[in-house]
Amino acid sequence: MGFRKVLTHCCVAALLLTTGFVHTASAKPLTVLSQIHEDADAVVIVPSLRQLSDKMTLIANELGMGAQLPPDPLLMFQMMSGLSQGLDKDGNIAIVIWNLQAVMDAAINDQPAVEPDVALLIPVTKAQDFMANFAGSEVLDNGLTRVGAMGQSLLVKPLGDQYILAGQNQNSLLKYKAANADQWTVSQGKVAADYTGKSDLVLLINPKSLANVFNKNMDMLLDDIKKNMDQAQETSEKLEAMGPILDYYLKLMFKATGALLNDTTGIAVGLTISKAGISTGLSMQFKQGSTLNQILAMSPKSLGQFDSLPDLPWISLAYADASQLDNEKLINLSKELILQDAMVPEKAQQILTAFNKIIENYKLYNYSYQQMQVANPAGQTQMVTAFPCPGESKEVFNQVRQMMEPVAEIFSAFMNLKGDEKGLMNMSFKQDAVQIKGGTQTDILTLSSDDEIFAKAFMQSLGSSKIDIYTSYNDAGMVSVVGGEQLLEQSLVALTDKKVLPATQNMVNTMRPNLPANRLAEVYLNLPNYIQHMQATMLKQSGGAQVAMMMGMLQLPTDLPPVAGTVSNIDGGVRIDSFTPMQTITVITQKGMVLGQMMGGAPGNAPGNAPASEPAPFN
């Protein structure tokens, strides 16, 4: 197995081994950043070898497999690798990757595969002591030492007195030039501070590398996607009619992606373990003074309580407050990203005009909203979105009304470019469509289809051949509902009563201390209800009974803590995080292992082996 493959497996192992146990002592600051190659495209960092070893033991014990590991995995690793002297067990170890441009160029242009340059930075107490592990090894004229370690032939050289550089490419190691640590810490920004300061595993990415690859190959990527689109359109006259507009929106999407990458100075990924659970996250820092930086630069506010939703079993709960963003700049950015009118296909001019109407009327960012996906026993999709805005509800309702007509216009125009009376799907909007108890006015946006495939999908997910989205308001605010008039009435009552439900309150109070403090949005996923919903949905699908049966075997407890997701704005950057409680991880792991044994996939049950629940001891 090659050195690069070994390092790849090390990355995967580190990810797997830091996903299910109690947090130990905090890692040192990332001193290794001062040794990262100045042209590095990415770097994977394990802040502490000792901490990683301890967590290997803890996760094994948590899963009942402690007997399969030695008492001290790090000590065993040192004995097996021969690295018994000079290794800094509490130091940062890093895998540095560069020259990805050549790798991507070869892949995109269908040329022979090119491997990236990869090096390993090993923390040592003293370089001289560590090199004593390789006494008698060949010292080359260029200053590199050829050693045998971890079953590989490696070239090593000291970088100062705290790190050893290891790799297999002589030229790469000889040309290796460390960057100033600020190059990585400053570019990642404050938005990544939790990852670089607290995480148990860190991945830093140089966005310039992604931007260069994207910008250089954008035209080729567009051509490839367009060829695939053209082939798909040959099978459908209606899809063929959409060709010009699809091409336009594809270019628009690529333009937005390019703008995003060009304004990004740092990208970081972090995985953090605590006694409460596991957090994973991605952060992006944007260039100082750029539009994206200004949009996200405002000081965030704390989110409120879930007090405007009906008391129903739920699959997901969400709370968002976009007023924490500079929304005027966000709207202006949306306008800038739209291509010039001359570049818009003739059939799309109507769509572009309607889209501009939506942007001009969009003011909902001034209000927070709460959302619930209802857990329906029949597996039907039901959604409630509440905008608490007492004293302003009529104004908010009218803003939505002004947007719904162009939305229906855009959708119908897009789906009916061929000019038929009926497109693949159709959308209509009706004001004051129905009288609802507790609602002052109620509008309905309807999505329907005469296409057999779409109509069948609607029936399976909604129990109807169409989707009706109700929007209504009263003095307390506005509510939007998918799921029928009864659900709308319940939602209007909840909006008026404004009650914080005890069960929801307890859940939020337990979860929020483990989430980033600066959040503009959060969402909670109830896994037991989600699995039941998917199970009911699969039973309606052709051939879905077996999948539904497997889902039913999980039988997760109804009081299982939810999984949380958050979006945060910090100092001109954005981060997206998830948090999974330790109880949830443990239960799912145990249920998964039992299910694997039931399906006959447990190797421990093979003849002559110990049962999976009683693994063979480490020898």
Side-chain angles (χ1 to χ4, degrees), residues 380 454-468:
Q380 296 175 355
F454 284 110
K456 183 178 180 181
F458 289 167
M459 185 63 69
Q460 289 177 342
S461 63
L462 297 160
S464 172
S465 59
K466 63 179 182 177
I467 300 175
D468 285 327

Side-chain angles (χ1 to χ4, degrees), residues 554 556 586-598:
L554 284 174
L556 297 178
T586 303
V587 169
I588 291 176
T589 302
Q590 293 172 347
K591 293 286 185 179
M593 293 173 68
V594 171
L595 182 59
Q597 293 177 18
M598 291 174 63

Side-chain angles (χ1 to χ4, degrees), residues 160-178:
D161 204 40
Q162 288 188 311
Y163 282 94
I164 297 293
L165 181 69
Q168 289 185 320
N169 188 311
Q170 285 196 45
N171 292 332
S172 297
L173 297 182
L174 291 173
K175 294 177 181 178
Y176 191 95
K177 184 178 179 181

Side-chain angles (χ1 to χ4, degrees), residues 168-194:
Q168 289 185 320
N169 188 311
Q170 285 196 45
N171 292 332
S172 297
L173 297 182
L174 291 173
K175 294 177 181 178
Y176 191 95
K177 184 178 179 181
N180 187 302
D182 289 346
Q183 175 176 320
W184 288 91
T185 54
V186 173
S187 64
Q188 297 299 330
K190 292 181 181 178
V191 70
D194 280 351

Side-chain angles (χ1 to χ4, degrees), residues 294-311:
Q294 295 176 47
I295 290 170
L296 296 159
M298 297 176 67
S299 298
K301 301 179 297 186
S302 60
L303 297 179
Q305 296 293 338
F306 288 91
D307 58 7
S308 302
L309 296 171
D311 185 7

Side-chain angles (χ1 to χ4, degrees), residues 23 54 143 458 571 588 600:
H23 185 64
D54 291 345
F458 289 167
D571 196 40
I588 291 176

